[in-house]
Amino acid sequence: MALLQKPSGEALAAVRGPAGSRAGGPRRSGARRRSRARVNAQVVLALVIIAAFLALALFAPLIAPYAPDAADAGQKYLPFGSSGHVFGTDEQGRDILSRLIWGGRTSMVVALIAVAASTLVGATLALVAGFSGDRVAGLIMRTIDVMFAFPVIIAALAFAIILGPGLTVVVLAIVFVATPYVTRVVFAEVKRHRGREYVEAAVSLGAGFWSILFREVLPNVAGQIVVYATGLVGAMIVFSSSISALGIGVQPPEADWGRMISEGAKVIISGNVTVALLPGLVVLVVALAFNWLGDGLNDVFDPHKRRSRS
C-alpha cells in the first residue's frame, strides 16, 4: 500500500526541478531557438538570391558584358574561365554569362506574371465554390478535376498551334497548370472558414455574398494563398524552362534558361558540359530559393507553427 501513497511536495519539486519547470525544458527551448534561427537564415538567404537574380534581370542592359545574341563564329565553345568570357561561350560563340543574365528577364518575369494570374483566377474560383451551393461548387470543382487530368504537354502544344510559339504559350501553359492546384488549396482553406463565428456574424448582420467573400474570408486565407503562390513560382520556373526546351516557348535568338538548356543538351556528348550545366544550375538555385521563401512564409502565417517555435 505504501507504493500507492501520494508523492510529497518535495518529491514533486525534485522531479520538476527549480521553479516547477519540467525536466528537459531548457533543452527544448534551445532546440526551438536553433530551429527558428535556421528558418530565419533560410528566408534571408532565399530573399538575397531572389533579389540578386531580379536585379540582374532588371539591369541586364547595364550589367551584361555582351548583347545576348552577339555571336562570334571564331570563339565557339570557349571553356569556363576564358579571358573575356568568364562562363565560356556556346555553339554560336555567344557569351553564356550575358545570356544567363538576359534569360532571367523571360524565365523569372514570365513565371511571376503567370503565377500571379493563376493565383487570381484559382483563388476567385475557390472562394465562389466554397460559399456556393452544391451545383455551382460541383461544376467548378469538376472542371478543375478535368484540368488536372488533361495532359499538360498536349495543352501547351494546342496553345502553340493556335497562337504560334512564344512567350504567350508559356504564360497560358503555366496558368493552365497552376490554376487547378491553387483552386484546390484555397478551396480547402475556404471550407474550413465557412462555419467560423465571424462568417456567421457577417451573415446575421445582413452582409452580401461578395462582401463576405472578399471582406471577411479572403483576408483570413490570404496568408496561405501567398505562401502557396510563392512556392509555386519555383516549380513554374522549372516548368517554363521545360516548355521552352521543347521548342514551343521562347524562340531563338531570344535568351531563355530553358532554351539554353535545350541547346546545350545537344552538345553535352561532345564534352561541352557547361553550356547546359550552368543554366540548369541557375534554374535549380532560383527554384529552391522560392521554395525556401514559401516555407519561411508558411512559418510566419501559420499560428500553430509560430506557437510551436516560440
Side-chain angles (χ1 to χ4, degrees):
M1 297 296 293
L3 295 174
L4 300 178
Q5 291 180 354
K6 185 178 180 179
S8 64
E10 292 81 0
L12 287 173
V15 173
R16 292 176 179 173
S21 63
R22 296 183 179 179
R27 183 180 301 173
R28 282 197 298 271
S29 62
R32 288 170 183 167
R33 284 195 297 270
R34 288 192 296 270
S35 177
R36 187 164 56 247
R38 178 184 59 80
V39 172
N40 292 338
Q42 178 177 297
V43 172
V44 170
L45 178 60
L47 287 173
V48 169
I49 293 173
I50 293 170
F53 276 96
L54 284 176
L56 288 173
L58 181 62
F59 298 105
L62 302 176
I63 297 174
Y66 301 94
D69 55 350
D72 187 347
Q75 294 188 322
K76 294 182 179 180
Y77 299 125
L78 291 181
F80 185 88
S82 298
S83 177
H85 299 281
V86 180
F87 284 4
T89 58
D90 61 9
E91 74 282 357
Q92 297 183 31
R94 297 173 298 188
D95 184 64
I96 293 178
L97 175 59
S98 299
R99 290 184 63 77
L100 286 174
I101 294 173
W102 281 92
R105 282 195 156 195
T106 52
S107 298
M108 291 186 67
V109 173
V110 165
L112 287 169
I113 293 174
V115 169
S118 304
T119 302
L120 178 63
V121 174
T124 302
L125 290 175
L127 287 167
V128 173
F131 273 82
S132 297
D134 292 339
R135 289 187 178 181
V136 176
L139 176 63
I140 293 175
M141 299 314 295
R142 296 298 77 76
T143 303
I144 294 300
D145 290 340
V146 172
M147 293 177 68
F148 265 121
F150 200 87
V152 178
I153 299 301
I154 294 179
L157 287 172
F159 291 140
I161 292 172
I162 296 171
L163 302 173
L167 287 176
T168 306
V169 172
V170 179
V171 173
L172 290 177
I174 292 176
V175 172
F176 186 87
V177 170
T179 297
Y181 290 95
V182 175
T183 305
R184 277 293 183 187
V185 171
V186 179
F187 178 74
E189 285 293 315
V190 172
K191 294 290 284 186
R192 285 200 312 114
H193 285 263
R194 185 172 181 173
R196 297 286 177 87
E197 291 81 0
Y198 73 89
V199 174
E200 295 177 355
V203 173
S204 65
L205 292 173
F209 178 80
W210 297 107
S211 177
I212 293 175
L213 285 186
F214 292 102
R215 291 186 179 181
E216 304 295 337
V217 179
L218 181 58
N220 286 280
V221 300
Q224 291 302 317
I225 295 175
V226 171
V227 168
Y228 190 75
T230 303
L232 197 61
V233 172
M236 292 303 103
I237 288 176
V238 177
F239 175 71
S240 66
S241 298
S242 66
I243 291 295
S244 295
L246 290 175
I248 57 177
V250 177
Q251 297 298 297
E254 189 171 358
D256 176 79
W257 293 339
R259 192 77 194 179
M260 292 177 68
I261 294 172
S262 174
E263 294 171 351
K266 301 174 183 177
V267 296
I268 284 182
I269 300 178
S270 61
N272 299 288
V273 180
T274 56
V275 180
L277 179 62
L278 290 176
L281 287 176
V282 168
V283 170
L284 174 63
V285 169
V286 175
L288 282 176
F290 276 104
N291 288 333
W292 290 341
L293 181 59
D295 289 341
L297 291 176
N298 190 34
D299 289 339
V300 172
F301 286 111
D302 192 334
H304 301 290
K305 291 192 175 184
R306 272 206 311 270
R307 285 196 294 266
S308 67
R309 295 183 185 277
S310 60

